[in-house]
Short mmCIF file of all heavy atoms in Angstrom, two decimals:
data_model
loop_
_atom_site.label_atom_id
_atom_site.label_comp_id
_atom_site.label_asym_id
_atom_site.label_seq_id
_atom_site.Cartn_x
_atom_site.Cartn_y
_atom_site.Cartn_z
N ASN A 18 22.43 -14.39 5.05
CA ASN A 18 21.95 -13.75 3.83
C ASN A 18 21.12 -12.49 4.13
O ASN A 18 20.11 -12.23 3.47
CB ASN A 18 21.14 -14.72 2.97
CG ASN A 18 21.98 -15.83 2.44
OD1 ASN A 18 23.12 -15.61 2.05
ND2 ASN A 18 21.46 -17.04 2.43
N GLY A 19 21.54 -11.73 5.13
CA GLY A 19 20.87 -10.46 5.43
C GLY A 19 19.60 -10.60 6.25
O GLY A 19 18.92 -9.61 6.50
N ASN A 20 19.25 -11.82 6.66
CA ASN A 20 18.03 -12.01 7.46
C ASN A 20 18.33 -11.63 8.90
O ASN A 20 18.87 -12.42 9.67
CB ASN A 20 17.56 -13.46 7.39
CG ASN A 20 16.36 -13.71 8.26
OD1 ASN A 20 15.71 -12.78 8.73
ND2 ASN A 20 16.06 -14.98 8.49
N PHE A 21 17.99 -10.42 9.29
CA PHE A 21 18.28 -9.97 10.64
C PHE A 21 17.04 -9.98 11.53
O PHE A 21 17.04 -9.41 12.61
CB PHE A 21 18.95 -8.60 10.65
CG PHE A 21 18.21 -7.54 9.89
CD1 PHE A 21 17.23 -6.80 10.51
CD2 PHE A 21 18.50 -7.30 8.57
CE1 PHE A 21 16.54 -5.81 9.81
CE2 PHE A 21 17.83 -6.31 7.86
CZ PHE A 21 16.84 -5.57 8.49
N SER A 22 15.97 -10.67 11.12
CA SER A 22 14.76 -10.69 11.94
C SER A 22 14.97 -11.33 13.31
O SER A 22 14.41 -10.85 14.29
CB SER A 22 13.59 -11.34 11.20
OG SER A 22 13.86 -12.68 10.90
N PRO A 23 15.80 -12.41 13.45
CA PRO A 23 16.02 -12.94 14.80
C PRO A 23 16.66 -11.90 15.73
O PRO A 23 16.28 -11.77 16.88
CB PRO A 23 16.94 -14.14 14.59
CG PRO A 23 16.68 -14.57 13.18
CD PRO A 23 16.42 -13.28 12.44
N LEU A 24 17.62 -11.15 15.22
CA LEU A 24 18.25 -10.10 16.02
C LEU A 24 17.26 -8.98 16.30
O LEU A 24 17.16 -8.50 17.43
CB LEU A 24 19.48 -9.54 15.30
CG LEU A 24 20.17 -8.35 15.98
CD1 LEU A 24 20.67 -8.74 17.36
CD2 LEU A 24 21.31 -7.84 15.12
N GLY A 25 16.49 -8.60 15.30
CA GLY A 25 15.48 -7.56 15.48
C GLY A 25 14.46 -7.94 16.54
O GLY A 25 14.08 -7.11 17.38
N ASN A 26 14.03 -9.20 16.53
CA ASN A 26 13.08 -9.67 17.54
C ASN A 26 13.66 -9.55 18.94
O ASN A 26 12.97 -9.15 19.88
CB ASN A 26 12.68 -11.12 17.28
CG ASN A 26 11.84 -11.28 16.04
OD1 ASN A 26 11.24 -10.32 15.56
ND2 ASN A 26 11.79 -12.49 15.51
N ARG A 27 14.92 -9.90 19.11
CA ARG A 27 15.55 -9.81 20.43
C ARG A 27 15.72 -8.36 20.88
O ARG A 27 15.53 -8.04 22.04
CB ARG A 27 16.88 -10.54 20.42
CG ARG A 27 16.72 -12.03 20.20
CD ARG A 27 17.92 -12.80 20.64
NE ARG A 27 17.79 -14.20 20.32
CZ ARG A 27 17.14 -15.10 21.04
NH1 ARG A 27 16.51 -14.72 22.13
NH2 ARG A 27 17.09 -16.36 20.69
N ILE A 28 16.08 -7.49 19.95
CA ILE A 28 16.24 -6.08 20.31
C ILE A 28 14.90 -5.47 20.69
O ILE A 28 14.80 -4.74 21.68
CB ILE A 28 16.93 -5.29 19.18
CG1 ILE A 28 18.40 -5.72 19.09
CG2 ILE A 28 16.81 -3.79 19.38
CD1 ILE A 28 19.18 -5.11 17.96
N VAL A 29 13.85 -5.78 19.93
CA VAL A 29 12.51 -5.27 20.28
C VAL A 29 12.10 -5.80 21.65
O VAL A 29 11.58 -5.06 22.48
CB VAL A 29 11.48 -5.65 19.19
CG1 VAL A 29 10.06 -5.40 19.68
CG2 VAL A 29 11.74 -4.86 17.93
N GLY A 30 12.37 -7.07 21.90
CA GLY A 30 12.07 -7.64 23.22
C GLY A 30 12.82 -6.92 24.32
O GLY A 30 12.28 -6.66 25.40
N GLU A 31 14.05 -6.57 24.05
CA GLU A 31 14.87 -5.84 25.03
C GLU A 31 14.28 -4.46 25.30
O GLU A 31 14.24 -3.99 26.43
CB GLU A 31 16.29 -5.70 24.49
CG GLU A 31 17.25 -5.05 25.43
CD GLU A 31 17.48 -5.87 26.68
OE1 GLU A 31 17.50 -7.09 26.61
OE2 GLU A 31 17.63 -5.23 27.75
N LEU A 32 13.81 -3.81 24.26
CA LEU A 32 13.26 -2.46 24.40
C LEU A 32 11.90 -2.45 25.11
O LEU A 32 11.54 -1.47 25.74
CB LEU A 32 13.14 -1.80 23.03
CG LEU A 32 14.46 -1.56 22.30
CD1 LEU A 32 14.19 -1.04 20.89
CD2 LEU A 32 15.37 -0.62 23.07
N LEU A 33 11.15 -3.55 25.01
CA LEU A 33 9.81 -3.59 25.58
C LEU A 33 9.76 -4.19 26.99
O LEU A 33 8.72 -4.14 27.63
CB LEU A 33 8.87 -4.37 24.67
CG LEU A 33 8.58 -3.72 23.31
CD1 LEU A 33 7.70 -4.62 22.47
CD2 LEU A 33 7.94 -2.36 23.49
N THR A 34 10.84 -4.75 27.47
CA THR A 34 10.83 -5.36 28.80
C THR A 34 11.78 -4.63 29.73
O THR A 34 12.68 -3.92 29.29
CB THR A 34 11.24 -6.84 28.75
OG1 THR A 34 12.57 -6.94 28.23
CG2 THR A 34 10.30 -7.65 27.87
N SER A 35 11.58 -4.83 31.01
CA SER A 35 12.43 -4.13 31.99
C SER A 35 13.73 -4.86 32.28
O SER A 35 14.66 -4.27 32.78
CB SER A 35 11.66 -3.91 33.29
OG SER A 35 11.29 -5.15 33.83
N GLY A 36 13.80 -6.14 31.95
CA GLY A 36 15.02 -6.90 32.23
C GLY A 36 15.50 -7.62 31.00
O GLY A 36 14.77 -7.81 30.04
N THR A 37 16.76 -8.03 31.03
CA THR A 37 17.34 -8.78 29.92
C THR A 37 17.32 -10.25 30.29
O THR A 37 17.93 -10.64 31.28
CB THR A 37 18.79 -8.35 29.66
OG1 THR A 37 18.82 -6.95 29.40
CG2 THR A 37 19.38 -9.09 28.47
N SER A 38 16.62 -11.07 29.50
CA SER A 38 16.62 -12.50 29.77
C SER A 38 17.94 -13.09 29.30
O SER A 38 18.59 -12.56 28.40
CB SER A 38 15.45 -13.19 29.06
OG SER A 38 15.72 -13.32 27.68
N ILE A 39 18.33 -14.19 29.91
CA ILE A 39 19.58 -14.85 29.54
C ILE A 39 19.53 -15.30 28.08
O ILE A 39 20.52 -15.22 27.36
CB ILE A 39 19.92 -16.01 30.49
CG1 ILE A 39 21.33 -16.56 30.21
CG2 ILE A 39 18.90 -17.11 30.40
CD1 ILE A 39 22.44 -15.62 30.58
N LEU A 40 18.36 -15.73 27.62
CA LEU A 40 18.24 -16.17 26.23
C LEU A 40 18.43 -15.02 25.26
O LEU A 40 19.10 -15.17 24.22
CB LEU A 40 16.88 -16.84 26.00
CG LEU A 40 16.65 -18.17 26.72
CD1 LEU A 40 15.24 -18.67 26.48
CD2 LEU A 40 17.68 -19.19 26.28
N ASP A 41 17.86 -13.85 25.58
CA ASP A 41 18.06 -12.69 24.71
C ASP A 41 19.50 -12.22 24.75
O ASP A 41 20.07 -11.83 23.73
CB ASP A 41 17.12 -11.55 25.10
CG ASP A 41 15.70 -11.79 24.62
OD1 ASP A 41 15.49 -12.61 23.71
OD2 ASP A 41 14.78 -11.15 25.17
N ALA A 42 20.12 -12.26 25.91
CA ALA A 42 21.52 -11.83 26.03
C ALA A 42 22.42 -12.72 25.18
O ALA A 42 23.28 -12.23 24.44
CB ALA A 42 21.96 -11.86 27.49
#
């Protein structure tokens, strides 16, 4: 229903860290 906050949280996490965690991937 348009709730993209889980995806947004993962993308922000990706942008703020140097590596991609398996959970975020």
